[in-house]
Amino acid sequence: MELPDFMSYANKFSQTEFAEKIARIAKRAGAKLVYAALILYYTLQSDKVSKADKAIIIGALGYMISPLDVIPDAIPIAGLTDDLAVLLYVLKKVWTGIDPEIVEQAKSKLSRWFDEEEIEEIGDIFAPED
């Protein structure tokens, strides 16, 4: 899958819309997408992250929030695959700057929407889906 120009979605990001979208799609999106989004969201709030990394994180989260993307979110199963691809792409780019505490904070937050078994299925965030 070729990634879209997610940076054009940077103006779509807001903290309120991010929280609303995650709450609305969490179960349908799956733990892996929500986990990746939360890691990026919490990383965005860190003062240890460069402005360049924050810019691409904002673009990725804006893409996730936007209802207008390559594969519309309303399409069952496939609708969120492009969102996950963008989030994982950006997560890989900024991974070395992510504090392990942020990863744990994101994992802890997952319990709001997922049970322990679903959270354990995340495993390696970068492993391909089965």
Side-chain angles (χ1 to χ4, degrees), residues 4-120:
D5 177 18
F6 60 86
M7 288 305 296
S8 65
Y9 291 85
N11 64 338
K12 304 283 186 205
F13 176 76
S14 80
Q15 290 188 3
T16 302
E17 289 184 43
F18 172 80
E20 289 171 1
K21 174 93 179 213
I22 288 292
R24 188 173 63 249
I25 68 163
K27 275 300 204 183
R28 184 168 59 93
K32 193 170 201 171
L33 185 145
V34 174
Y35 184 48
L38 288 171
I39 291 171
L40 290 173
Y41 176 75
Y42 292 135
T43 299
L44 185 61
Q45 297 173 16
S46 172
D47 59 357
K48 298 177 185 175
V49 179
S50 73
K51 288 183 181 182
D53 284 353
K54 286 186 178 192
I56 64 171
I57 290 170
I58 288 171
L61 295 177
Y63 183 83
M64 187 199 79
I65 291 169
S66 177
L68 304 172
D69 52 22
V70 175
I71 304 172
D73 294 347
I75 297 175
I77 301 171
L80 296 168
T81 56
D82 60 324
D83 294 349
L84 179 59
V86 166
L87 295 175
L88 291 177
Y89 172 80
V90 171
L91 195 54
K92 281 183 182 181
K93 288 191 84 54
V94 302
W95 188 253
T96 57
I98 295 177
D99 190 319
E101 290 177 7
I102 288 174
V103 173
E104 287 306 311
Q105 183 181 11
K107 194 173 274 190
S108 175
K109 184 73 167 183
L110 287 178
S111 64
R112 180 173 179 183
W113 299 287
F114 301 97
D115 62 32
E116 198 171 308
E117 187 175 299
E118 292 169 311
I119 293 170
E120 286 176 10

